[in-house]
Amino acid sequence: MTVVKLQNGELLVYAPIAPTRECMHLVKELDAPVKHIILTTHAYEHKIFISPFQRRFPEAQVYVVPNLWSFPLNLPLPLLGIFNAKVLTSDDLELPWSRELSYKVFSSKIGLAPYCEVAFYHKKAKLLMVTDAVIYIPEDPPEVVNRDKLQRAGEDNLFVRLLYAKDRPQKPRNQDEQEKLGWKRMALLISYFSPEHLRDPVTFPKIGGRLIVLPVIQTLCFAKCPGPTRRWIDAITQDWDFSRVVSAHFSSPVDAGPQDVKDAFSFAYDMAELGTDKQTQRSKSAQQGGSGPISWPQNIKKTSRGVKFPQEDLKGLNYIDSFLKFVGIVFREPRND
């Protein structure tokens, strides 16, 4: 959650979290009224908190991304507890914060439903605000993470030994090392769901200490629509001269500029270089001795100018992706429209 205090003294809340007692205490410390609440994506873990947050601040106006949907029933917003919401559109400049904040909407179908996110830019602070688009995983665990949970995650328990028996990690020498080990395991699980090396997280440097698109978001969302993704990133990196990035997850703010964000999305540009039409896919597949379409994630790893995620860590995500394609939930082939 990011809170912006506007020049008129009002607060704008971007991607609100659960309005817990601690959260409300921090908001009240700002000594200003919450007047604008932004639902920045359709994702359940963000959408679920809008209704309770709106109840805490009934005078605030809620703004939502376009093409919102819910599963298993696609219910209207009032039935989700979100009332009197206004939809953010790309050409809407008559908003209370327009002189201080700009925004760009991403909305593209990735299968049965669209993937949506809105990025904001604070002009004076030169700050880019995103939800899931890019994240920064620190090499050391943040202070807010529970230390007991970190220590348990760093234990060499029976579950870890059975599932990752081939790993041979060095035993942590002290509590600090065990907590760092637990943090790396947590980050790998969140990033890949089923990483190849969890007991000994040797591939953590591929995701830690740099601005990236989380592998699960890259594989299951943005890689399905590389054309719209490129256009959104081009608009963000060409129109906004930001020097810091705030994400809804992990550590923020991060010192990063337009080129850093574009590098994180290099996979989308590499997909354009490879070609995404059926004829090109079949041609490249034939050259490789195959009969079906090529695996885009595999080829992205070979050509990417940015981060190259280990193919062995992506196995679990690729299985999930294949299943979603098989049942028709996501596109079988990338779309540029």
Side-chain angles (χ1 to χ4, degrees), residues 274-325:
L274 287 167
T276 57
D277 58 278
K278 293 182 180 179
Q279 183 177 359
T280 304
Q281 290 192 44
R282 282 194 287 266
S283 173
K284 289 184 177 292
S285 179
Q287 294 174 12
Q288 297 171 0
S291 56
I294 61 174
S295 168
W296 282 110
Q298 181 179 2
N299 282 268
I300 292 170
K301 308 305 169 292
K302 294 179 181 177
T303 64
S304 178
R305 298 180 296 272
V307 179
K308 300 178 182 178
F309 300 127
Q311 192 64 30
E312 60 270 22
D313 282 337
L314 289 167
K315 284 181 181 179
L317 280 178
N318 288 338
Y319 285 136
I320 295 173
D321 187 37
S322 297
F323 173 76
L324 295 177
K325 290 177 180 177

Side-chain angles (χ1 to χ4, degrees), residues 43-84:
Y44 175 78
E45 67 270 20
H46 295 284
K47 184 165 54 181
I48 192 175
F49 298 126
I50 293 297
S51 177
F53 211 92
Q54 185 182 34
R55 290 197 299 270
R56 290 297 188 99
F57 303 99
E59 296 182 359
Q61 174 63 56
V62 174
Y63 299 86
V64 302
V65 291
N67 303 315
L68 276 179
W69 56 276
S70 60
F71 180 86
L73 296 177
N74 195 11
L75 300 173
L77 289 179
L79 292 183
L80 297 176
I82 304 173
F83 299 96
N84 302 318

Side-chain angles (χ1 to χ4, degrees), residues 186-201:
M186 286 180 175
L188 286 171
L189 279 173
I190 293 171
S191 299
Y192 299 107
F193 290 170
S194 180
E196 183 73 9
H197 300 285
L198 187 66
R199 189 181 179 193
D200 184 12

Side-chain angles (χ1 to χ4, degrees), residues 9 52 62 66 73 107 117 121 124 143-144 171 194 198 201-202 218 237 240-241 251 282 287 306 330 335-336:
V62 174
L73 296 177
S107 181
E117 181 169 342
Y121 173 60
K124 185 176 181 179
E143 293 183 5
V144 296
K171 186 176 181 179
S194 180
L198 187 66
V202 293
Q218 173 182 316
T237 56
W240 295 344
D241 184 26
S251 291
R282 282 194 287 266
Q287 294 174 12
V330 299
R335 300 292 182 92
N336 271 317

Side-chain angles (χ1 to χ4, degrees), residues 4-10 99-100 122 124:
V4 177
K5 191 169 187 178
L6 303 174
Q7 291 180 355
N8 62 5
E10 298 175 349
R99 292 186 177 182
E100 301 171 62
H122 193 290
K124 185 176 181 179

Side-chain angles (χ1 to χ4, degrees), residues 34 46 107 116 137 146 191 206 208 217 248 254 266 283 300 317:
V34 174
H46 295 284
S107 181
C116 312
I137 302 176
N146 184 280
S191 299
K206 292 293 184 180
I217 298 296
V254 180
S266 62
S283 173
I300 292 170
L317 280 178

